[in-house]
Amino acid sequence: MTDTLTREEARESLRVIPLFAQASDDDLESIATHLIERRYPKNTTIVEEGLPGDYMYVIREGRVKVSKASEDGREKIMNFFDAGDFFGEMALLDRQPRSASVKTLCPVRLLALSRRDFLELLRSSPDLALCVIQELSRRLRDTGEQASSMSFQKVQERTRGLFERMARAEEDRSDVRLTPALTHQQIADMIGTSRETVTRAVKQLKRDGWLSQQGKRYVIPMTSAA
């Protein structure tokens, strides 16, 4: 771990991550000792689809975009990750090439954990291994739900489902959740439709009173959470 990040800061960053949410203090302490701090400027590719991966990353500051290349070579946005999110963990477990690319949307500060250290920690702590299994299972369920949405749901339902997955509660408000900043083209890429279709779906959700907007962020009621 670099001198610019204290062990306590690293531990607190880990504590709010779903992957380690149930980990013991001792396990968090062990993980924190193996973290490496990395900084990247805007528009930097951290992870490239198809290449091998040796690290998982925790976002301490900043925002990144996760994307895949479509068959015709165009970029398909899969998700956006912000501070507290993590990515790259699957390559640490199965040695397969990266399944998507991750690019910074602003200056980013990351905590990196190597494959070698990660696996050693899992071997030494059954409780930590169980935490990882539970979180990966949750992610697989989310992926399955998204695939089902793409196949069977109408565009308006897919748009609403995307907002619900991405929205988060604001610390100073208990009645609504806000999405990250999203353009209609980004939403279209993520749910597999056209920008014009998304525009119509968003307008209808607003007319229905379910959706409102603050700049490029969308506001949904807390009661819509699953």
Side-chain angles (χ1 to χ4, degrees):
M1 188 166 51
T2 64
D3 293 336
T4 59
L5 184 72
T6 68
R7 187 172 298 178
E8 178 62 26
E9 287 177 319
R11 191 165 57 246
E12 290 306 310
S13 294
L14 293 169
R15 197 180 300 278
V16 298
I17 298 168
L19 186 66
F20 305 124
Q22 303 302 317
S24 67
D25 289 342
D26 287 344
D27 283 334
L28 288 177
E29 180 70 21
S30 297
I31 298 167
T33 62
H34 292 87
L35 294 175
I36 302 168
E37 186 182 59
R38 292 183 173 177
R39 296 172 184 262
Y40 295 92
K42 183 180 179 180
N43 294 326
T44 300
T45 299
I46 303 169
V47 167
E48 188 167 350
E49 182 181 0
L51 295 184
D54 295 320
Y55 286 87
M56 71 164 289
Y57 300 93
V58 177
I59 304 175
R60 184 161 171 79
E61 296 175 2
R63 191 180 191 218
V64 301
K65 172 180 65 176
V66 183
S67 64
K68 291 177 66 69
S70 62
E71 292 183 358
D72 59 4
R74 293 185 300 173
E75 178 187 64
K76 177 174 176 56
I77 298 173
M78 306 300 293
N79 213 333
F80 296 94
F81 289 152
D82 299 281
D85 291 325
F86 64 97
F87 59 91
E89 73 287 350
M90 291 303 296
L92 299 188
L93 295 170
D94 60 15
R95 286 187 175 274
Q96 295 299 307
R98 298 291 195 184
S99 60
S101 295
V102 180
K103 189 174 184 178
T104 62
L105 297 174
C106 60
V108 168
R109 185 184 180 194
L110 302 175
L111 304 179
L113 179 65
S114 73
R115 182 178 193 276
R116 182 186 62 186
D117 291 337
F118 184 66
L119 293 181
E120 186 59 36
L121 289 165
L122 293 184
R123 293 188 189 101
S124 64
S125 174
D127 289 341
L128 178 60
L130 180 60
C131 290
V132 171
I133 291 170
Q134 290 172 337
E135 175 58 21
L136 295 180
S137 296
R138 184 193 66 78
R139 284 196 167 196
L140 286 173
R141 284 197 300 272
D142 288 348
T143 300
E145 290 173 1
Q146 291 183 39
S148 175
S149 172
M150 291 286 287
S151 299
F152 303 114
Q153 293 179 346
K154 296 179 180 179
V155 171
Q156 185 173 322
E157 293 171 331
R158 299 207 305 266
T159 304
R160 176 169 174 157
L162 175 67
F163 288 150
E164 289 181 332
R165 289 195 301 273
M166 300 193 72
R168 295 181 176 180
E170 295 290 286
E171 291 184 0
D172 58 342
R173 296 193 63 179
S174 60
D175 57 333
V176 298
R177 294 180 294 154
L178 277 77
T179 71
L182 294 168
T183 67
H184 285 191
Q185 186 60 61
Q186 289 170 336
I187 296 168
D189 290 341
M190 295 174 76
I191 66 172
T193 189
S194 68
R195 180 179 58 80
E196 293 78 11
T197 303
V198 165
T199 297
R200 291 194 293 270
V202 168
K203 287 181 179 179
Q204 185 60 53
L205 289 172
K206 289 180 178 178
R207 284 195 293 267
D208 292 343
W210 181 83
L211 185 71
S212 58
Q213 196 166 348
Q214 292 183 8
K216 292 185 177 181
R217 303 181 72 186
Y218 293 90
V219 184
I220 67 173
M222 184 66 74
T223 53
S224 68

